[in-house]
C-alpha cells in the first residue's frame, strides 16, 4: 500500500488504476458535467480530463463514466449537432475526441455532425509561410507546441474513423514543422513556441523561438509523438523518423528528472534557478511519454526505472481531503508564452483538469508496466 505524508487520510490504493479511478471519481463528485471548470464550455480543459476518463472506462468499465461524458457532450451540442466553440483556435478541437465513441455506440447523428464541424476547421486555419498552423488567430504567425496535441490527435482519429488518410499526412507535416522550428539541438528539448514574424516580446530576433522550455507544453508534444506512432502503419515512410524523435525527447527528459523527487520542474532545464518549482502536470505527462514509448518499443526497458521513479514521486505528492477525496496539488494553471519570470510566477492550483487528466493517463500507462505499487 502507498500512502502520502501530505494526506489527511490513509490511502488504500494499491495499483495505478486505483489511483486513476480515485482521481476521476473525486472530480465527478465535485462537479456536475456541465460545471467542469473553468467555465463549462466546449474546450480542451474539459476534454483532457474527460478523454482520460473515457480511456479509463475502457480499462475498468463503468456506466457512471459513460453517462458523465455523454452528459457533458449533450450539454454542449444541441439536437441538430450545433454547438458553441471558438472557431479561431486549435484548443477548441481537442474535446472532439469524445465524439467518436458516442457516434459509434448510438444512432444519434449529431455526434458525427459535430465532429465534422471540427474537422472542417483545418482548411480554414491561418498558416505560417511554410504551412504551419497558427495556434490562434489572436496569435498571428505563432506555432505553439500545445497545438499539435490539441488538433492533431483529433485529426488522426477522424482520419481512421471516417477514412480520410490525408488528415494523418497533415498531422505528420505539422509535426515536422513544429520540430523544425522549436527543437533545441543542445538540450533536445522543445521551446514552447515559435514566432515567424519575430514581433513578439518573447521571440528571439534571429530564430523566432521563445526563450524557455515549459514543461506541460513539452508534455503535450510527448503524448502526440506516441499517438502518431499508434496510427502510423509499420511500413509508413515516416515511422522511423517519428520514433527516433520520440526516443530523443524521452532521453533528454530523463536528464532533467529531479534526483530526489523523481519529478520535473515548471521550467524544465533550470531546476536550480531562483523561484523554479516542481510541477505535477508536466511530471505526469513525462511519465506517460516515457512509459508509453517503452510499451510501444520505441525506448528500451532500461528507461523503465525513470518512469517508475517519476510515478512514485507523483504518488508521494497526492493528497486526500477529510472526505477521502483525491487532491492533485501543484498544477500550473493555463499559461501563455513568456520569459522565465512569466512561467515561475504562474499560479499553482489543485485538481486543475490539465493535471488530473494527465495523471489519469500516466496511471493507465504505468498499469501496463507496473501493475502493483
Amino acid at each position: 500500500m502507498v500512502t502520502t505524508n501530505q494526506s489527511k487520510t490513509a490511502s488504500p490504493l494499491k495499483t495505478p488504476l486505483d489511483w486513476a479511478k480515485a482521481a476521476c471519481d473525486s472530480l465527478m463528485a465535485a462537479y456536475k458535467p456541465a460545471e467542469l471548470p473553468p467555465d463549462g464550455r466546449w474546450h480542451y480543459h474539459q476534454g483532457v480530463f474527460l478523454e482520460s476518463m473515457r480511456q479509463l472506462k475502457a480499462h475498468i468499465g463503468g456506466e457512471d463514466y459513460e453517462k458523465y461524458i455523454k452528459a457533458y457532450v449533450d450539454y454542449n451540442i444541441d439536437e441538430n449537432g450545433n454547438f458553441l466553440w471558438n472557431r479561431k483556435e486549435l484548443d477548441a478541437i481537442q474535446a472532439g475526441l469524445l465524439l467518436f465513441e458516442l457516434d459509434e455506440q448510438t444512432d444519434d447523428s449529431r455526434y458525427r455532425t459535430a465532429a465534422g464541424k471540427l474537422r472542417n476547421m483545418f482548411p480554414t486555419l491561418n498558416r505560417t509561410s511554410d504551412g504551419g498552423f497558427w495556434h490562434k488567430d489572436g496569435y498571428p504567425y505563432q506555432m505553439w507546441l500545445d497545438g499539435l496535441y490539441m488538433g492533431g490527435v483529433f485529426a488522426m482519429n477522424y482520419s481512421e474513423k471516417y477514412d480520410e488518410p490525408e488528415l494523418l499526412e497533415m498531422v505528420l507535416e505539422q509535426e515536422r514543422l513544429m520540430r523544425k522550428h522549436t527543437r533545441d539541438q543542445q538540450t533536445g528539448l522543445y521551446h514552447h513556441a515559435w514566432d515567424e514574424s519575430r514581433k513578439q516580446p518573447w521571440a528571439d530576433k534571429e530564430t523566432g523561438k521563445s526563450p524557455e522550455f515549459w514543461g506541460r507544453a513539452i508534455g503535450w508534444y510527448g503524448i502526440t509523438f506516441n499517438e502518431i506512432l499508434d496510427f502510423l502503419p509499420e511500413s509508413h515512410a515516416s515511422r522511423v523518423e517519428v520514433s527516433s524523435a520520440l526516443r530523443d525527447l524521452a532521453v533528454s527528459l530523463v536528464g532533467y528528472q529531479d534526483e530526489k523527487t523523481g519529478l520535473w520542474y515548471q521550467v524544465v532545464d533550470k531546476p536550480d534557478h531562483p523561484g523554479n518549482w516542481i510541477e505535477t502536470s508536466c511530471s505526469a505527462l513525462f511519465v506517460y511519454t516515457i512509459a508509453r514509448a517503452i510499451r510501444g518499443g520505441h525506448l528500451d526497458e532500461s528507461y523503465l526505472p525513470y518512469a517508475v521513479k517519476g510515478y512514485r514521486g507523483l504518488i508521494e505528492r497526492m493528497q486526500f481531503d477529510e472526505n477521502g477525496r483525491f487532491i492533485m496539488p501543484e498544477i500550473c494553471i493555463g499559461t501563455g508564452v513568456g520569459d522565465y519570470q512569466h512561467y515561475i510566477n504562474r499560479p499553482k492550483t489543485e485538481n486543475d483538469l490539465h493535471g488530473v487528466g494527465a495523471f489519469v493517463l500516466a496511471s493507465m500507462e504505468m498499469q501496463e508496466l507496473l501493475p502493483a505499487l
Side-chain angles (χ1 to χ4, degrees):
M1 180 176 71
V2 176
T3 60
T4 167
N5 56 18
Q6 296 174 310
S7 64
K8 296 179 181 178
T9 60
S11 167
L13 308 179
K14 296 182 179 180
T15 72
L17 285 183
D18 288 338
W19 283 95
K21 186 177 187 303
C24 286
D25 291 353
S26 292
L27 264 69
M28 285 175 64
Y31 301 104
K32 295 178 180 178
E35 297 172 350
L36 283 170
D39 56 9
R41 60 180 171 147
W42 184 267
H43 204 53
Y44 81 93
H45 296 94
Q46 294 83 1
V48 166
F49 169 61
L50 292 175
E51 172 60 13
S52 75
M53 179 186 288
R54 189 192 68 79
Q55 293 185 32
L56 178 63
K57 177 177 66 70
H59 281 271
I60 65 173
E63 187 177 342
D64 289 346
Y65 295 152
E66 187 172 330
K67 289 180 178 178
Y68 192 87
I69 294 166
K70 187 175 186 297
Y72 169 78
V73 174
D74 289 348
Y75 172 79
N76 283 280
I77 298 177
D78 72 13
E79 65 274 12
N80 299 311
N82 299 313
F83 62 115
L84 298 177
W85 51 288
N86 191 330
R87 300 166 189 269
K88 299 179 180 180
E89 60 181 50
L90 287 166
D91 287 346
I93 298 177
Q94 190 274 343
L97 292 173
L98 306 173
L99 298 171
F100 301 112
E101 187 173 288
L102 290 169
D103 179 47
E104 198 172 273
Q105 295 181 350
T106 71
D107 295 325
D108 195 333
S109 63
R110 63 201 173 103
Y111 302 123
R112 174 73 181 270
T113 300
K117 293 177 187 292
L118 295 172
R119 181 261 177 270
N120 290 334
M121 180 175 168
F122 292 113
T124 73
L125 293 171
N126 286 318
R127 298 176 181 242
T128 63
S129 62
D130 57 1
F133 294 144
W134 294 7
H135 190 64
K136 299 181 182 182
D137 279 4
Y139 303 149
Y141 301 99
Q142 298 171 46
M143 296 183 74
W144 292 20
L145 288 183
D146 324 35
L148 190 69
Y149 171 72
M150 299 305 165
V153 180
F154 170 85
M156 290 186 294
N157 276 273
Y158 196 100
S159 172
E160 181 176 83
K161 297 290 185 183
Y162 305 131
D163 193 25
E164 294 195 30
E166 65 272 16
L167 289 176
L168 176 57
E169 297 304 319
M170 177 193 77
V171 174
L172 287 169
E173 179 60 17
Q174 292 300 312
E175 190 283 317
R176 290 188 194 101
L177 291 171
M178 190 74 78
R179 182 156 31 104
K180 170 185 174 183
H181 293 306
T182 64
R183 185 176 185 274
D184 178 68
Q185 296 293 331
Q186 183 175 353
T187 63
L189 300 174
Y190 289 73
H191 295 267
H192 187 180
W194 171 70
D195 173 21
E196 182 180 28
S197 71
R198 278 70 165 169
K199 291 181 179 178
Q200 294 303 309
W202 48 258
D204 184 280
K205 298 308 177 186
E206 295 297 324
T207 67
K209 294 176 181 177
S210 61
E212 303 297 344
F213 305 114
W214 179 46
R216 193 159 67 225
I218 299 172
W220 296 134
Y221 210 70
I223 278 190
T224 310
F225 271 139
N226 279 291
E227 290 281 347
I228 289 172
L229 286 161
D230 268 9
F231 282 96
L232 279 182
E234 289 292 335
S235 59
H236 196 286
S238 296
R239 190 169 182 82
V240 172
E241 177 186 351
V242 176
S243 178
S244 176
L246 169 59
R247 183 167 55 255
D248 288 348
L249 173 59
V251 170
S252 295
L253 288 174
V254 300
Y256 294 99
Q257 186 176 27
D258 182 60
E259 186 173 345
K260 180 179 179 181
T261 65
L263 303 178
W264 284 264
Y265 280 77
Q266 167 81 336
V267 179
V268 177
D269 68 322
K270 296 178 178 176
D272 298 325
H273 279 50
N276 205 359
W277 45 280
I278 292 287
E279 204 278 324
T280 54
S281 72
C282 80
S283 296
L285 292 171
F286 294 163
V287 167
Y288 173 98
T289 296
I290 295 165
R292 189 165 171 187
I294 294 168
R295 184 165 64 88
H298 309 291
L299 199 64
D300 69 63
E301 291 195 0
S302 68
Y303 285 88
L304 179 57
Y306 298 103
V308 172
K309 185 174 184 178
Y311 191 70
R312 291 188 183 280
L314 283 169
I315 297 305
E316 289 298 317
R317 240 33 183 214
M318 299 304 135
Q319 305 170 14
F320 294 87
D321 66 16
E322 62 275 8
N323 297 312
R325 291 182 181 173
F326 170 94
I327 298 173
M328 182 174 180
E330 300 168 305
I331 306 168
C332 177
I333 67 168
T335 299
V337 182
D339 60 11
Y340 179 76
Q341 290 299 320
H342 167 82
Y343 292 108
I344 66 168
N345 289 333
R346 295 302 288 167
K348 308 171 193 176
T349 188
E350 296 178 344
N351 278 1
D352 184 285
L353 300 185
H354 296 98
V356 178
F359 177 75
V360 173
L361 291 173
S363 296
M364 288 185 286
E365 280 303 316
M366 290 308 299
Q367 181 71 29
E368 300 291 335
L369 298 175
L370 188 72
L373 293 168

